[in-house]
Amino acid sequence: MTTTTTRIERHHYDVVVIGAGGAGLRAAIEARLAGKKTAIISKSLFGKAHTVMAEGGAAAAMGNVNSRDSWQVHFRDTMRGGKFLNNFRMAELHAKESPQRIWELETYGALFDRTKDGRISQRNFGGHEYPRLAHVGDRTGLELIRTLQQKIVSLQQEDKRDHGSYDARIKVFSETTITELLLDGDRVAGAFGYYRESGEFVLFEAPAVVLATGGVGRSYKVTSNSWEYTGDGHALALRAGATLINMEFLQFHPTGMVWPPSVKGILVTESVRGDGGILKNSEGKRFMFDYVPDVFRKQYAETPEEADRWYDDPDNNRRPPELLPRDEVARAINSEVKAGRGTPAGGVYLDIASRLPAEEIRRRLPSMHHQFKGLADVDITKEPMEVGPTCHYVMGGVEVDPDSGAAYGAVRGLFAAGEVSGGMHGSNRLGGNSLSDLLVFGKRAGGHAATYVDQLTGRPRVAVAAVETAVETALAPLQRDTGENPYTLQQDLQAVMGDLVGIIRREAELADALVRLAELRERVAKVSASGGRRYNPGWHLALDLRNMLVVSECTAKAALERRESRGGHTREDFPTMDPQWRRVNLVCSLVGDTVRLERKPLPKMRSELIGLFDRAELAKYLTDEELTEFDALVAADAAAADAATDADAEKER
Amino acid sequence: MGTQTSGTPGKPGAKRQFRIWRGDADGGDLRDYTVEVNEGEVVLDVIHRLQATDAPDLACRWNCKAGKCGSCSMEINGMPKLGCMTRMSTFEENETITVTPLRTFPVIRDLVTDVSFNYEKARETPAFAPPADLAPGDYRMQQVDVERSQEFRKCIECFLCQNVCHVIRDHDENKQAFSGPRYFIRAAELDMHPLDTRTDRKDYAQTEQGLGFCNITKCCTEVCPEHIKITDNGIIPMKERVVDRRYDPLVWLGSKIFRRGQVPQTSVTSGHSPGAVRSSAAGGGVHSHAGGSHDAQAEVQAQQGVNWHREVPHPTAPAVDASGKLPLTELTFDRAAAPSPFGDDVTFPLPPEHLNFAHPDQDKPNH
Ligand SMILES: Cc1cc2nc3c(=O)[nH]c(=O)nc-3n(C[C@H](O)[C@H](O)[C@H](O)COP(=O)(O)OP(=O)(O)OC[C@H]3O[C@@H](n4cnc5c(N)ncnc54)[C@H](O)[C@@H]3O)c2cc1C
Ligand code: SF4
Ligand code: SF4
Ligand code: FES
């Protein structure tokens, strides 16, 4: 047997952080500052994690551009964006702490764009009431990750000075993939994985593990996500006994490029439609007029002539239907494609070339023009773009304690932050809220992991048998030569998820998806990878597949269960929001090999927080029962306020 | 409109010839592949297609596929490029496209090289030194002042500039003393940072980073995918300031380079013999695999004469500290008492069933 001769490199750490994106790095910094010996593990090279791709900015209510901004307003926007399904405490902490986290970055050396008076400039973004996104051109994510990377280097330099070695207290293990968390009873005892470079195994013994592994987008055909996004952290947490929430909520962008392949998944900004771009199917028909829902009829044009007049005279004409909300547009595109009127690549045409003169397009959309010309040799002034819904972000993730980031469920010593954690964004994430989320909850998770280690009386121990099993599981695909190619399996999984659990969902399709996922599970269990252990991407994918599969099952199950449409979950058979469903979180856990789904009530917002909202607005989300409670609260507050003013008046006298 | 001129995946892609370097630190060669290429694809797409078909174990780094992460650096027809930003349409239809790993760094496998040199240099460059008296939130800087540093912070760390710089491209021996253009601009960035409190950045660049080796060939600027003006805006100003202080870099540079007989002639496009990749492969990997390496043959020999009829406890390597070595004393280790060289899960005395006892006769036939 191979395992008897497999020697395993071992390391001891206090805190092991899995993931070197914004959340992971911030967590590691905090754990190291708390004096803990910390390891950072990443599937790719240091500084290349997904965070690097974020463009828009990081939302924080600093009030630099509009001084009326405050954490309360930011909190409100976040809850609205998430359709009130957010964990209110996380949204609150996020809104309160983001400014400090951004300012802190400046002390690490970050250089954000500035306002005239020398402060951090902030830009407008969809869903944010005031200009709120701290940014550096369109490369904010790069600035964020580089700054944190350089902060870690500076800590290592301190350690070198004090302890003689850069790696004395914080070390980065790049191109290392964790495949298993190891437990001692219900406590985390370590993490097991392999070096991508050599294929050698490595065991980290540590009482606390912080998951910061990002998202799951690779399970979809068209996605803006990289190969890293195979839901590893989600799956590791499940297998360790933790729970996932909100897995049915995925953010799709209606117009991502689907063709040519070099730009597949890259987003086309909404302003292309705002500036006159129209959507056409393969028959050349401008189809959006067929998809205006009744509730929007009054605001949207009925004929192309009227729609075209709107661009010049918006006051006397109704809007073109291309400007319907994102989910409506995505639904329409989806229907056209399913009806067989899509482009060969499975999208529709977004045409601005025939609508505006070339110079005008270049003037209004310089970066779009430049990007597509440069990346794909597509000239948007000459030809239409092929676009379709693109998987962008997963709202769901590890169910955590809002304050500490500690995973709920049957495991201790496991923490999660960033995209891999759930609850903060509810059913939909506002642009820019992710980058600040990484910092706020990364810091919290790292700090609380350190505290957890401090209060431990004994170190959990790794069981030899568990390591053996992990080794066997990892080597299995290499030892089989009868199974299927991992790339084929990945494509099939992507087809199931893209076609059946995509942006618009139907009961029958979701049920079908579950059947197919079960079939895929059998095939994935038998996957085989050719080649050796050194830097073998086929083998790596074969190991990732099982994570993608279990996470996809969670999404499909939860999507089937939630019989309403909300944020990133659209059910064609239940097209509206249902206040009863707002009170429910769907919680996934693993029993043996199967995903179990449970309903759990949402935590109730504290009175001073719910008091920040207008009754008229709440009426859209809350049940009658909750509204009555709200009214009672308001009445009580008013009475208290009256009493206070009376008392004041009394004193005056 | 109906039929559109943009890409039509239905149309069968043309077959193209690729030569890709396959191998590892022990050597390798260029392999020929015929692969379908569709309209609008980039070199990285073709590599992905190869992985999904003929060569599932072809090693190649990538992440963003949008020129943002700097992972997919490779040499395409001898030119250092990002695979995800090199369009197939820039080649002739019948041209054979040769893809090789970065030459300046030791090969790990196929197109993946060991770029740890860069991370070491990054670690040596002194970090940002914040002003002591400014609280977070009180930083005030003007846009014009931050823009100079911002240019350098656009760097995606693709290391193409490092790869192309002749000072280290075929001169491993210079790597010790030379940090390379990426880290010159890091020093420049901090030098120009409006609030950095260190004043010795340019001295440091000269004395520690080997800025003097650079004779401003501008090859680095030419290959930078972020179009950072590495030489004009970064290196030259750093050199000039030193001149201000009556420190003539050219004298210093001359002595350094000419003495060693290394008047550089290399240019970016110089012909590239892939075999050379091997020459620099000796350096260790990023990780020290303490205990990870073992000689299976030796192990088999050691086991001869011993009949392992029972479940043996699996040998585990001893716990190592962050530098990959056994810690010398318990003082520097995180455990009370120094770790056991047998691995932590082995307790003494060994339980009888774990004892390795080989009876002299046990392997004799008829035993
Ligand atoms: C194109 C694009 C644009 C975006 N723009 C914005 C924006 O403008 N504003 C905003 O707020 N958000 C934006 N987002 C979202 C945001 O970038 C991400 O949600 C965020 O960066 C996630 O960060 P993270 O720290 O959670 O994980 P990541 O940065 O993705 O890092 C995950 C890390 O985990 C590691 N990892 C994963 N699995 C394993 C494993 N098994 N073993 C070891 N390591 C592992 C990976 O190697 C990686 O280092 C954008 C996203 C995309 C795709
Ligand atoms: S200018 Fe030439 S010598 Fe100087 S760093 Fe750049 S490539 Fe190297
Ligand atoms: S300076 Fe340019 S070429 Fe050099 S690593 Fe940075 S982005 Fe790459
Ligand atoms: S894959 Fe990120 S730069 Fe090419």
Side-chain angles (χ1 to χ4, degrees):
Chain A
M1 208 170 74
T2 0
T3 49
T4 36
T5 53
T6 308
R7 294 181 142 244
I8 297 165
E9 178 179 325
R10 290 190 170 212
H11 293 277
H12 290 277
Y13 282 93
D14 296 322
V15 176
V16 166
V17 178
I18 308 177
L25 297 184
R26 190 62 191 82
I29 291 172
E30 200 61 19
R32 154 64 180 77
L33 288 175
K36 293 291 161 280
K37 204 174 154 209
T38 308
I40 303 169
I41 305 171
S42 152
K43 288 214 273 193
S44 43
L45 290 172
F46 192 26
K48 312 277 184 215
H50 217 72
T51 302
V52 112
M53 293 170 71
E55 300 178 337
M62 296 182 283
N64 289 352
V65 170
N66 189 324
S67 57
R68 270 175 304 189
D69 201 6
S70 66
W71 75 261
Q72 287 91 340
V73 187
H74 192 182
F75 170 77
R76 248 182 356 221
D77 291 344
T78 304
M79 293 298 294
R80 265 179 210 142
K83 305 277 186 287
F84 279 73
L85 200 81
N86 320 50
N87 179 306
F88 76 86
R89 176 67 178 155
M90 288 179 93
E92 179 196 1
L93 288 170
H94 171 257
K96 281 182 174 164
E97 294 177 4
S98 294
Q100 271 102 20
R101 295 289 85 76
I102 297 289
W103 286 324
E104 201 169 65
L105 289 181
E106 288 199 300
T107 70
Y108 300 170
L111 285 173
F112 290 101
D113 287 348
R114 317 305 296 181
T115 60
K116 285 226 166 52
D117 60 352
R119 292 195 264 193
I120 296 175
S121 167
Q122 298 184 271
R123 69 158 57 120
N124 273 312
F125 220 73
H128 293 282
E129 190 167 336
Y130 298 113
R132 190 177 284 147
L133 269 64
H135 58 96
V136 187
D138 60 0
R139 55 167 193 88
T140 316
L142 173 66
E143 184 70 12
L144 192 109
I145 199 162
R146 201 64 82 231
T147 301
L148 294 171
Q149 186 183 347
Q150 287 164 350
K151 173 65 179 177
I152 284 171
V153 163
S154 95
L155 292 171
Q156 290 182 322
Q157 289 172 352
E158 277 175 31
D159 291 344
K160 163 99 171 158
R161 202 181 55 222
D162 300 344
H163 303 279
S165 159
Y166 287 120
D167 295 331
R169 291 201 286 173
I170 185 164
K171 177 162 169 156
V172 182
F173 294 82
S174 58
E175 303 208 304
T176 305
T177 305
I178 295 299
T179 60
E180 219 71 70
L181 295 179
L182 303 169
L183 302 179
D184 180 354
D186 67 345
R187 292 183 306 165
V188 165
F192 172 89
Y194 60 91
Y195 290 125
R196 293 166 57 81
E197 263 172 29
S198 61
E200 299 283 351
F201 295 117
V202 54
L203 172 63
F204 297 90
E205 292 190 40
V209 167
V210 180
L211 293 173
T213 53
V216 305
R218 270 283 130 185
S219 307
Y220 284 84
K221 246 188 302 196
V222 187
T223 174
S224 58
N225 294 172
S226 87
W227 64 270
E228 292 192 302
Y229 270 26
T230 50
D232 292 3
H234 292 80
L236 288 172
L238 274 180
R239 290 203 292 270
T243 47
L244 305 183
I245 55 168
N246 295 348
M247 287 308 292
E248 64 275 36
F249 299 109
L250 283 157
Q251 198 170 58
F252 287 86
H253 196 283
T255 57
M257 291 292 271
V258 294
W259 185 261
S262 52
V263 286
K264 188 165 158 182
I266 291 183
L267 308 180
V268 181
T269 69
E270 243 133 17
S271 52
V272 172
R273 278 170 283 142
D275 282 341
I278 56 168
L279 293 164
K280 292 187 194 169
N281 61 20
S282 60
E283 292 161 4
K285 179 171 179 203
R286 186 172 173 185
F287 58 82
M288 280 307 295
F289 291 100
D290 302 342
Y291 291 94
V292 184
D294 288 339
V295 283
F296 289 115
R297 285 249 184 268
K298 283 210 195 90
Q299 293 98 317
Y300 288 84
E302 272 160 49
T303 61
E305 293 71 32
E306 180 181 4
D308 287 349
R309 285 196 301 270
W310 175 86
Y311 298 106
D312 297 321
D313 182 12
D315 294 336
N316 297 312
N317 294 288
R318 291 174 295 176
R319 298 154 68 89
E322 276 82 11
L323 297 179
L324 278 161
R326 273 190 188 186
D327 50 333
E328 300 293 345
V329 177
R331 196 197 315 268
I333 296 178
N334 203 54
S335 306
E336 285 296 308
V337 175
K338 284 202 174 168
R341 291 188 294 270
T343 67
V348 295
Y349 295 106
L350 171 54
D351 181 14
I352 185 141
S354 69
R355 311 265 304 163
L356 288 178
E359 324 76 278
E360 190 65 15
I361 299 175
R362 274 195 289 269
R363 195 180 62 74
R364 291 201 203 182
L365 302 162
S367 64
M368 278 278 112
H369 177 253
H370 184 85
Q371 189 177 27
F372 290 119
K373 189 81 192 135
L375 269 172
D377 205 13
V378 168
D379 189 345
I380 62 169
T381 66
K382 293 213 178 71
E383 52 195 338
M385 293 166 262
E386 279 188 60
V387 298
T390 299
C391 179
H392 188 50
Y393 185 92
V394 59
M395 267 69 73
V398 181
E399 188 187 18
V400 293
D401 172 64
D403 288 78
S404 67
Y408 281 149
V411 58
R412 287 184 295 152
L414 186 64
F415 299 79
E419 193 168 338
V420 69
S421 72
M424 157 71 206
H425 302 289
S427 68
N428 204 1
R429 171 186 72 102
L430 287 189
N433 265 2
S434 172
L435 290 185
S436 38
D437 161 21
L438 307 180
L439 298 170
V440 168
F441 294 102
K443 175 182 190 300
R444 285 184 160 267
H448 282 89
T451 318
Y452 169 82
V453 174
D454 281 336
Q455 51 86 41
L456 276 181
T457 47
R459 285 209 164 215
R461 296 178 75 101
V462 171
V464 181
V467 180
E468 246 169 70
T469 320
V471 170
E472 268 166 46
T473 316
L475 287 178
L478 285 175
Q479 286 160 351
R480 269 190 296 259
D481 46 14
T482 48
E484 284 172 272
N485 173 340
Y487 295 95
T488 317
L489 288 169
Q490 185 189 27
Q491 273 165 20
D492 291 357
L493 174 64
Q494 289 174 337
V496 173
M497 292 307 282
D499 296 345
L500 305 177
V501 199
I503 178 161
I504 312 296
R505 298 152 180 186
R506 301 177 185 87
E507 177 150 354
E509 288 183 352
L510 290 167
D512 188 20
L514 281 169
V515 174
R516 288 171 192 237
L517 287 174
E519 283 164 18
L520 266 170
R521 170 193 282 269
E522 311 264 291
R523 293 163 61 195
V524 165
K526 289 193 294 239
V527 62
S528 56
S530 63
R533 276 166 69 179
R534 308 194 64 170
Y535 221 109
N536 180 348
W539 178 41
H540 302 159
L541 178 60
L543 295 178
D544 291 343
L545 275 174
R546 109 188 137 125
N547 298 336
M548 297 167 75
L549 196 74
V550 69
V551 173
S552 300
E553 271 183 53
C554 290
T555 299
K557 273 213 163 133
L560 180 60
E561 178 85 358
R562 184 173 284 275
R563 311 177 121 210
E564 65 155 352
S565 293
R566 179 184 299 274
H569 169 67
T570 309
R571 280 285 295 266
E572 199 174 67
D573 35 2
F574 300 94
T576 53
M577 239 172 358
D578 176 352
Q580 287 300 345
W581 269 110
R582 192 204 69 82
R583 311 175 73 176
V584 180
N585 269 337
L586 294 176
V587 183
C588 300
S589 56
L590 211 55
V591 183
D593 251 1
T594 42
V595 174
R596 188 173 67 185
L597 200 66
E598 275 166 312
R599 296 187 182 197
K600 190 170 165 181
L602 224 68
K604 212 162 98 190
M605 221 189 291
R606 293 202 315 276
S607 57
E608 78 267 25
L609 292 179
I610 201 160
L612 294 171
F613 295 93
D614 221 38
R615 188 184 197 282
E617 177 167 20
L618 290 175
K620 285 193 262 172
Y621 299 101
L622 302 190
T623 58
D624 292 342
E625 189 190 334
E626 288 169 306
L627 278 174
T628 324
E629 240 175 81
F630 175 76
D631 291 338
L633 202 86
V634 174
D637 273 356
D642 278 353
T645 38
D646 285 354
D648 283 349
E650 204 78 355
K651 269 188 230 135
E652 298 268 299
R653 242 176 256 153
Chain B
M1 287 180 69
T3 46
Q4 304 286 341
T5 45
S6 76
T8 39
K11 178 181 128 194
K15 296 277 184 195
R16 294 279 195 95
Q17 293 300 321
F18 265 74
R19 307 189 77 196
I20 301 183
W21 196 87
R22 302 293 310 266
D24 55 24
D26 302 328
D29 49 24
L30 286 169
R31 258 195 253 136
D32 286 300
Y33 295 96
T34 306
V35 54
E36 189 182 307
V37 173
N38 299 310
E39 204 183 311
E41 287 186 324
V42 292
V43 170
L44 189 63
D45 291 314
V46 178
I47 288 175
H48 284 161
R49 176 153 316 114
L50 274 172
Q51 286 179 332
T53 54
D54 294 353
D57 63 338
L58 168 61
C60 169
R61 286 196 182 103
W62 72 281
N63 265 26
C64 65
K65 252 195 114 244
K68 285 183 182 164
C69 70
S71 303
C72 60
S73 307
M74 51 185 80
E75 300 197 359
I76 301 171
N77 288 346
M79 287 287 284
K81 289 249 171 95
L82 295 178
C84 70
M85 297 297 278
T86 309
R87 293 198 316 264
M88 287 304 299
S89 59
T90 57
F91 304 103
E92 298 297 324
E93 290 272 331
N94 53 2
E95 197 175 345
T96 298
I97 297 150
T98 307
V99 187
T100 49
L102 296 185
R103 175 158 119 192
T104 304
F105 310 114
V107 162
I108 292 172
R109 214 166 78 79
D110 303 342
L111 302 178
V112 174
T113 54
D114 175 359
V115 291
S116 55
F117 162 76
N118 301 291
Y119 289 97
E120 277 155 28
K121 295 298 172 186
R123 217 144 70 158
E124 288 162 10
T125 311
F128 172 65
D133 52 340
L134 270 189
D138 290 348
Y139 284 47
R140 295 287 179 276
M141 294 174 258
Q142 288 306 313
Q143 183 63 30
V144 284
D145 296 329
V146 299
E147 256 159 27
R148 298 209 303 159
S149 295
Q150 278 183 334
E151 177 186 3
F152 304 128
R153 290 184 73 83
K154 285 195 309 196
C155 170
I156 57 174
E157 300 204 331
C158 63
F159 308 129
L160 290 178
C161 58
Q162 303 282 89
N163 173 60
V164 83
C165 177
H166 67 89
V167 179
I168 46 174
R169 185 159 168 98
D170 284 317
H171 298 281
D172 259 6
E173 68 279 12
N174 288 347
K175 281 188 177 164
Q176 175 79 19
F178 187 75
S179 295
R182 160 66 187 118
Y183 300 100
F184 298 152
I185 60 164
R186 168 74 173 140
E189 168 214 320
L190 289 166
D191 192 48
M192 296 170 191
H193 191 299
L195 293 174
D196 180 59
T197 55
R198 276 185 87 124
T199 52
D200 63 344
R201 301 273 177 204
K202 41 250 163 199
D203 286 345
Y204 179 85
Q206 279 289 3
T207 56
E208 306 291 331
Q209 292 191 305
L211 184 66
F213 277 93
C214 162
N215 56 342
I216 317 187
T217 59
K218 299 201 181 179
C219 308
C220 48
T221 307
E222 266 170 52
V223 297
C224 177
E226 284 294 306
H227 307 295
I228 300 170
K229 297 229 165 36
I230 303 176
T231 25
D232 291 359
N233 295 350
I235 295 176
I236 294 174
M238 290 296 274
K239 282 180 175 261
E240 275 169 357
R241 292 184 191 203
V242 182
V243 177
D244 289 348
R245 297 215 230 127
R246 303 164 162 276
Y247 187 89
D248 185 356
L250 284 173
V251 175
W252 190 83
L253 175 114
S255 65
K256 272 271 191 218
I257 287 187
F258 298 123
R259 194 185 58 230
R260 286 157 157 258
Q262 282 169 1
V263 187
Q265 240 96 62
T266 336
S267 80
V268 189
T269 44
S270 68
H272 172 215
S273 79
V277 172
R278 255 173 280 167
S279 64
S280 53
V286 194
H287 315 287
S288 65
H289 294 209
S293 59
H294 62 101
D295 182 351
Q297 197 62 36
E299 222 157 284
V300 169
Q301 272 162 14
Q303 290 173 11
Q304 265 167 15
V306 178
N307 208 353
W308 306 89
H309 280 310
R310 58 195 161 65
E311 265 299 292
V312 207
H314 300 284
T316 45
V320 287
D321 71 4
S323 63
K325 303 206 170 67
L326 272 178
L328 282 182
T329 71
E330 62 183 270
L331 290 177
T332 61
F333 199 50
D334 57 357
R335 299 279 169 106
S340 158
F342 300 94
D344 278 359
D345 41 4
V346 179
T347 45
F348 293 97
L350 287 173
E353 69 272 19
H354 284 182
L355 287 176
N356 293 350
F357 173 69
H359 190 278
D361 291 339
Q362 72 179 16
D363 282 340
K364 290 229 177 96
N366 309 327
H367 175 71

